[in-house]
Amino acid sequence: MILGREVIPYLARTYKQLYLIPGSDGADEKYRAIVRRGEDLSEKTLAHFTMSDNDSLVFTETPAGIVQVISLYERNDFEIFIQIMANRCKKKVIPRTQGAAIIDGVINWDKINAHKKEFLEKEIARGNYFPDWSAEFRRFTSNKCNYQDGIIVLSVGPYSGISASELGFSESEWIELSAVIRKYHECTHFICRRLYPDQIDPIWDEVVADAVGIFAAFGRYDSDMALKFLGVDESGYKGGRLENYLEECIEERSKNLKLDKMSKLVSTYVKLFSKIISESGTNNPFEILKHLECNYELYRIYPGKQNKSQ
């Protein structure tokens, strides 16, 4: 575990793109040089990050492997981190309703360079003074697990932008619960992308991830809370996180029709999940995830179904 103001500097020593300022002159070219070729920077500054004593980095074990869970206390740091690591150092507006992100497949050149050093030393020790690193590089990088990392970054604040008073919690209590929900929500995405790659659907995935997060925080599933997190009630979409999953540049009429369809899907999934979770007989959040994903095909019987290949 890494704590406080050392979190960002610790990460930057491995992911040198964090030294770049999103949208700055030459950032695109420098980003590509760092990520694609493992190049270093002559000038390194982290002045664009505020950093906080409340930041943390925890290496978390999941059914799909270890993932780094990073909590950044300052909203500015959270947004800059996403712009650099997820948006390839491009300046992009991060919705206020977004409080977390998963960034999988991050290239770790330290792992590649460490393997290169070990490979060359072993070959030379065996008397091979002209080892073929290019061939070994291709072999080593053919397995993504050898050199790619999973990262989850969390902000600090009320989950889905829902206030503590709306749910009947104190401010401090809701902040703590929100942190648990966010962590398990994003761990769910990490697990699903690795273990269930053929079952990717934005709305299904969000309702599943919220379900696991809610269960982890409360030890039970709350369907009213699940609907509220996405801005849905019995009358349809009321405004909230759900619209984050719309395609960009969609015109207003199509947006409203799409949101109406999406809100019906959310309501359908929440009812289905309530039944599955109540019958699961487990108190493990990741077991809940397994139960939901194993029942994935059931949702296809409902009107408004989506095809995962779309």
Side-chain angles (χ1 to χ4, degrees):
M1 177 185 293
I2 310 296
L3 298 174
R5 296 176 180 274
E6 179 56 25
V7 170
I8 293 294
Y10 173 86
L11 290 165
R13 287 193 286 273
T14 298
Y15 313 114
K16 294 177 175 59
Q17 58 266 43
L18 288 171
Y19 291 117
L20 303 175
I21 300 174
S24 61
D25 290 343
D28 282 353
E29 183 179 344
K30 291 176 183 176
Y31 177 89
R32 287 192 295 270
I34 292 167
V35 174
R36 296 181 183 178
R37 299 190 294 276
E39 295 183 9
D40 206 343
L41 290 168
S42 56
E43 297 182 10
K44 298 177 181 178
T45 178
L46 294 171
H48 44 296
F49 287 101
T50 304
M51 292 182 265
S52 167
D53 292 334
N54 297 313
D55 292 347
S56 65
L57 164 60
V58 180
F59 295 88
T60 303
E61 187 74 46
T62 79
I66 293 175
V67 62
Q68 299 174 77
V69 180
I70 303 157
S71 294
L72 298 177
Y73 186 80
E74 297 290 342
R75 178 71 191 186
N76 175 71
D77 289 352
F78 171 76
E79 293 185 1
I80 289 176
F81 190 93
I82 292 177
Q83 288 169 350
I84 295 172
M85 300 299 292
N87 297 331
R88 301 179 181 180
C89 214
K90 292 180 171 56
K91 193 81 171 175
K92 183 178 180 181
V93 175
I94 308 301
R96 293 298 299 179
T97 50
Q98 181 178 354
I102 177 171
I103 312 165
D104 202 1
V106 181
I107 296 174
N108 185 331
W109 278 94
D110 285 353
K111 291 181 177 179
I112 295 173
N113 291 330
H115 179 72
K116 179 180 181 179
K117 182 175 182 294
E118 180 183 13
F119 168 76
L120 295 177
E121 287 176 351
K122 285 183 177 179
E123 288 298 301
I124 291 171
R126 285 201 290 255
N128 179 11
Y129 295 101
F130 301 98
D132 189 349
W133 165 242
S134 296
E136 177 60 16
F137 175 81
R138 290 192 295 271
R139 186 203 65 78
F140 184 72
T141 55
S142 66
N143 183 348
K144 294 180 180 180
C145 294
N146 286 337
Y147 71 102
Q148 292 187 3
D149 295 338
I151 292 175
I152 288 172
V153 58
L154 311 175
S155 65
V156 176
Y159 188 73
S160 264
I162 305 296
S163 67
S165 59
E166 288 182 72
L167 296 172
F169 298 115
S170 68
E171 294 292 338
S172 59
E173 185 180 23
W174 181 226
I175 291 298
E176 289 183 10
L177 290 167
S178 292
V180 176
I181 297 170
R182 280 199 185 93
K183 177 179 178 178
Y184 278 86
H185 178 110
E186 295 304 322
C187 282
T188 296
H189 285 317
F190 175 75
I191 294 165
C192 287
R193 291 177 185 181
R194 291 198 171 190
L195 301 187
Y196 307 101
D198 297 327
Q199 297 181 189
I200 302 298
D201 177 284
I203 306 307
W204 172 273
D205 293 347
E206 287 305 306
V207 184
V208 168
D210 274 356
V212 176
I214 291 169
F215 194 89
F218 299 98
R220 58 180 174 80
Y221 185 54
D222 187 316
S223 58
D224 291 336
M225 191 178 292
L227 292 171
K228 185 180 286 291
F229 286 163
L230 287 164
V232 176
D233 65 15
E234 64 280 355
S235 64
Y237 182 64
K238 307 302 291 183
R241 203 178 91 230
L242 186 61
E243 62 186 82
N244 291 354
Y245 311 108
L246 280 173
E247 302 90 343
E248 293 184 4
C249 303
I250 186 171
E251 58 97 6
E252 195 64 25
R253 182 173 179 276
S254 296
K255 174 181 176 180
N256 292 334
L257 290 172
K258 185 72 172 177
L259 282 169
D260 181 60
K261 181 179 179 181
M262 289 163 67
S263 64
K264 289 176 182 176
L265 283 170
V266 168
S267 296
T268 298
Y269 297 159
V270 167
K271 289 177 184 177
L272 174 62
F273 291 3
S274 293
K275 181 175 185 296
I276 294 171
I277 292 171
S278 66
E279 295 175 353
S280 67
T282 181
N283 59 4
N284 185 316
F286 292 142
E287 285 297 315
I288 292 296
L289 165 58
K290 187 186 297 183
H291 279 286
L292 295 177
E293 288 299 321
C294 287
N295 281 278
Y296 166 70
E297 294 296 334
L298 291 178
Y299 96 95
R300 292 174 180 258
I301 69 174
Y302 295 104
K305 63 188 177 183
Q306 290 182 325
N307 189 311
K308 287 262 180 174
S309 64
Q310 292 180 346

